[in-house]
Every structure is written in C-alpha cells, then in structure tokens.
Amino acid sequence: MSVDHRRPVPLAKAYRLINHGPTVLVSAAHEGKRNVMAAAWAMALDFEPPKVSVVLDKSTWTRRLLEASGSFVLNVPARGQVDLVQTVGSSSGQTLDEAGRDKFDAYGIATFPGAQVPAPLVEGCVAWLECRLLPEPHIQERYDLFLGEVVAAWADARVFSDGRWHFEGHDDLRTLHHVAGGHYLVIGEGVGGKELPLKG
C-alpha cells in the first residue's frame, strides 16, 4: 500500500481500528534499536482518551524497547501480509540485534515515520495506532499486560472511513485473526443489527 491511502482517524474513533480483534504488529524503537513482533492479544480499553492494551511476553525484544522508550505502535496488518505476520511472530529480534541487524532490514520490511512516537509504522498495514505507554509496573510484571494511550491514529481510507470498516472489494486488505500454529482467519462480511422489540 502506498502511504497515499493513509488518513488520520479522529482519536475518539481510534478504538474501532482494533475493536474487532485483529492480530497486530507491535513496533517499538529506542536509541537506534527497533523491532516488530506479532501479537494476537490486543484490545481497545477506552474512548476518551483512547486507550489500548497488549500482552507482551517477558522474553520479547519489543517489550524491552517499549519499556525503555515509553511508546509503541499497534500496526494492523492485512491478509496480503500473512507471511510477514508469521515471520515476525516466530523470529527473534534480539538474536538479529546481536548479529547487528533487525527484522526490518533482515526481511525487507518497509516503514514510515509516525507523527508522535519514534517507533516505525509498518508499510502495507490498514491501520496504525501510535501509543504512549501508561506505566503500570505491577500488571506489566505480573500479567505481561501493557496499557497505552493512543496519541495518533491512521487508517487506509480504502477500507476504513467515517469511523467504519468496509472491506468489500478489497479482499487482500481484510484484517487477520490468529487462531494457533500459524493458522489465521480473515475478517468476513459485515452485517447490521437492530434491537429486538420488547415482548408482552
């Protein structure tokens, strides 16, 4: 995707970018080091100010960079990036760092800079949430749970506009949902709902 399709999303609507439970790519950077990893456990927490949560294991290099920098990005990848998601989710950023490389260079992952945080935004995704870490040492240490305030949000206007996802006609831009063992589902057809009438 060209960044020409990227449009800002009002922060009050930012939660809608991940409210449907997609797998995300978490990117972080600190003092010239950077990394990206896949995470299936991320969710919206609040509207105003918008807040998100993500689970990051203690062993991950991204977590260390996130804690050091105090910021991160939730990138929402699309169906066309499934191999990239699987690769960054099963490779070690720390091992590459020890060899003087990072996942972006090693796998040719294109990025562009964000507006508010130093972490790179992954090109080709359909949404991006730039986040400031809300430090909660107890839950970070005990539950590996990290909270962030969304300070800038973006989406691909071909599939998200007016606060709504609309994937029809853009199958390769549908979001991914990790099941287990390298198996993913893609978001399906949208349906509208209405309230049931009271009985009696």
Side-chain angles (χ1 to χ4, degrees):
M1 181 205 92
S2 162
V3 257
D4 295 338
H5 295 290
R6 181 174 56 110
R7 300 289 183 272
V9 173
L11 291 180
K13 304 288 188 198
Y15 74 96
R16 295 183 179 181
L17 298 175
I18 61 169
N19 207 34
H20 63 299
T23 295
V24 297
L25 300 178
V26 185
S27 56
H30 182 64
E31 294 184 346
K33 308 277 187 182
R34 59 188 187 157
N35 198 48
V36 61
M37 63 174 281
W41 295 345
M43 63 179 267
L45 281 180
D46 205 349
F47 302 104
E48 292 187 46
K51 297 181 191 72
V52 296
S53 67
V54 63
V55 174
L56 302 171
D57 188 82
K58 291 175 179 60
S59 65
T60 64
W61 182 231
T62 300
R63 174 175 171 159
R64 289 169 54 189
L65 296 174
L66 181 159
E67 288 178 311
S69 68
S71 63
F72 60 99
V73 174
L74 297 184
N75 306 268
V76 181
R79 177 183 188 158
Q81 296 173 297
V82 66
D83 293 341
L84 168 65
V85 174
Q86 184 62 25
T87 299
V88 300
S90 57
S91 59
S92 167
Q94 185 166 355
T95 299
L96 285 167
D97 182 69
E98 290 166 358
R101 303 184 78 187
D102 63 32
K103 290 183 189 179
F104 300 97
D105 295 330
Y107 301 112
I109 303 169
T111 65
F112 59 96
Q116 301 290 328
V117 304
L121 281 66
V122 177
E123 184 75 55
C125 289
V126 291
W128 304 264
L129 295 94
E130 299 181 48
C131 304
R132 177 179 60 84
L133 178 64
L134 298 173
E136 292 288 348
H138 172 70
I139 63 170
Q140 290 168 200
E141 185 59 31
R142 184 166 182 142
Y143 302 109
D144 298 331
L145 182 65
F146 288 78
L147 307 182
E149 179 183 342
V150 181
V151 294
W154 315 89
D156 186 325
R158 294 175 294 179
V159 290
F160 187 91
S161 58
D162 299 321
R164 300 271 188 252
W165 286 107
H166 43 84
F167 295 105
E168 296 76 16
H170 297 284
D171 284 347
D172 257 9
L173 298 180
R174 291 180 183 272
T175 55
L176 294 166
H177 304 260
H178 186 249
V179 180
H183 182 68
Y184 299 82
L185 302 175
V186 292
I187 193 72
E189 175 185 355
V191 295
K194 61 182 181 180
E195 290 186 30
L196 294 171
L198 290 172
K199 299 293 182 185

